Amino acid sequence: MCALVIQHIRNRAQMLTELHRVLRPGGWLLISTCHPTADWRHFGGSYYSHEWSDLSVANGRMSIHCQRMPLETFLGELLAAGWGGSRRTGGIWPSAALR
């Protein structure tokens, strides 16, 4: 399970490829992320932006570094890493269905 992590990883292609390699047959990969519309509404600019942004937290004392990207980009990265197929159920991609 990767909960709200994917937008903070610089080399997502390597991570997604490795997850595909080590996940047992019939296993499940669950990835959750913020919807890009939330980033667009917060930061402004284009929904299709790929820029890295700093989100201020703790009343400005800290920030979280993350990359904005449209859903199409993330889905393309999944496909490029070997997570092919056409079945998607409630945001969970079963590995057997995505080969």
Side-chain angles (χ1 to χ4, degrees):
M1 175 168 38
C2 297
L4 301 173
V5 172
I6 198 77
Q7 68 271 24
H8 303 284
I9 305 295
R10 287 203 178 270
N11 192 343
R12 285 186 304 275
Q14 181 182 359
M15 183 192 84
L16 292 169
T17 300
E18 182 65 5
L19 288 171
H20 186 268
R21 185 186 73 79
V22 302
L23 192 64
R24 72 172 190 230
W28 293 71
L29 172 64
L30 172 63
I31 297 177
S32 67
T33 187
C34 299
H35 194 282
T37 302
D39 292 338
W40 170 60
R41 291 181 69 193
H42 181 79
F43 293 108
S46 173
Y47 168 86
Y48 297 99
S49 174
H50 288 85
E51 70 186 11
W52 284 87
S53 300
D54 290 307
L55 177 62
S56 180
V57 294
N59 294 324
R61 293 188 311 269
M62 301 169 63
S63 66
I64 299 171
H65 196 61
C66 56
Q67 186 179 22
R68 300 170 60 181
M69 68 182 129
L71 289 176
E72 293 86 352
T73 298
F74 177 56
L75 294 176
E77 291 174 352
L78 283 169
L79 292 172
W83 296 94
S86 61
R87 182 174 164 211
R88 181 173 174 228
T89 308
I92 301 171
W93 296 70
S95 64
L98 293 171
R99 293 192 185 198

